Amino acid sequence: MPEHKIITIGRQFGSGGHEIGQKLSKRLGIPLYDHRLVSMAAEELGVSKESAKRVDESSLNAFVSNYAVTPGLYTDFINAASYIQSFDEDVYRKQAEIIRVLAEKESCVIVGRCADYVLRDRTDCVNVFICADKEDRKKRIMQLYDLTERKAAEKIRRTDRERKYYYELHTGRTWGDISSHQMLFNVSLLGIDRIVEILEMIYRA
């Protein structure tokens, strides 16, 4: 029997997945790793945290979608895109390495960062995906970031698109699909606290 367990959480933006990770970490008394992995990877690579954050869970897709290409700038665009793609791979590989070390060391909760795929060969890993209805996600983001309904909807679409691209680029799996995750939980149907309780029971079983 494994000495410890790891729970990985994938999530739609605004679904409450990160809050579930925080509450679960506190109830189980085990560490939570999320954006801290970016900082750890940046330190290992010897680059600024800000630079690493630009590619974390967004990758080349965000850059390409926001870059206006004109004939005169095409070469610059290709060079910049190639650099960002290479840098993204470096950050991903380093984060994956850190995730494997942490999983080997202790029980923990890991949010995002393709952790379910990175740890796919471990028998002590439970991976889940958190989703919620669009209206609930929109209300949550409006409150968290003090945004209008339109701005919240735009932020959700953009962030989900970037997370989907990042996940599928590095894993070859479909983001948020039941074939890619062991369990899917809908916060709108179950609520955050109930999902935390279920995951706690699974962890302790």
Side-chain angles (χ1 to χ4, degrees):
M1 182 177 179
E3 294 182 0
H4 53 255
K5 296 178 184 176
I6 301 96
I7 296 179
T8 70
I9 300 177
R11 73 281 184 229
Q12 289 181 323
F13 186 63
S15 64
H18 191 270
E19 183 178 344
I20 288 172
Q22 289 177 317
K23 289 190 172 187
L24 187 62
S25 168
K26 186 174 182 179
R27 288 182 67 155
L28 295 175
I30 60 177
L32 169 72
Y33 296 105
D34 44 23
H35 57 273
R36 281 191 290 170
L37 289 169
V38 180
S39 300
M40 295 165 74
E43 185 176 345
E44 290 283 336
L45 291 169
V47 299
S48 69
K49 296 176 184 177
E50 290 71 23
S51 295
K53 285 179 181 177
R54 292 192 187 102
V55 295
D56 179 54
E57 290 198 306
S58 61
S59 191
L60 187 63
N61 181 56
F63 171 78
V64 172
S65 64
N66 291 301
Y67 201 108
V69 182
T70 61
L73 295 176
Y74 184 74
T75 301
D76 290 339
F77 170 77
I78 293 298
N79 290 337
S82 297
Y83 170 77
I84 290 177
Q85 189 170 31
S86 175
F87 183 46
D88 167 75
E89 286 298 323
D90 289 342
V91 172
Y92 172 77
R93 282 196 295 269
K94 184 54 65 176
Q95 282 193 156
E97 181 182 323
I98 292 169
I99 286 170
R100 293 188 190 99
V101 170
L102 293 172
E104 192 67 33
K105 176 185 175 184
E106 61 187 348
S107 297
C108 57
V109 178
I110 305 175
V111 178
R113 282 78 201 169
C114 303
D116 61 307
Y117 180 77
V118 173
L119 302 176
R120 62 192 180 279
D121 295 327
R122 296 187 66 101
T123 59
D124 56 358
C125 181
V126 176
N127 69 78
V128 303
F129 189 87
I130 306 299
C131 62
D133 296 347
K134 287 184 178 180
E135 287 303 312
D136 291 339
R137 295 166 62 200
K138 194 159 50 178
K139 289 176 184 177
R140 183 179 182 82
I141 294 305
M142 287 170 66
Q143 293 174 350
L144 285 175
Y145 296 94
D146 192 24
L147 297 175
T148 63
E149 184 175 353
R150 183 177 64 81
K151 290 288 186 180
E154 289 175 358
K155 189 172 181 66
I156 287 170
R157 281 194 297 270
R158 182 176 66 253
T159 305
D160 274 355
R161 183 175 65 244
E162 292 170 359
R163 286 181 179 175
K164 175 181 171 66
Y165 183 88
Y166 183 87
Y167 182 86
E168 295 183 356
L169 173 70
H170 293 296
T171 70
R173 297 177 175 181
T174 303
W175 182 73
D177 190 89
I178 190 61
S179 63
S180 304
H181 308 278
Q182 293 173 343
M183 288 168 278
L184 272 63
F185 292 99
N186 189 323
V187 172
S188 297
L189 297 177
L190 294 170
I192 285 177
D193 290 337
R194 181 56 179 156
I195 293 174
V196 171
E197 290 174 1
I198 293 171
L199 291 176
E200 181 182 6
M201 286 190 291
I202 291 172
Y203 178 89
R204 298 190 186 282

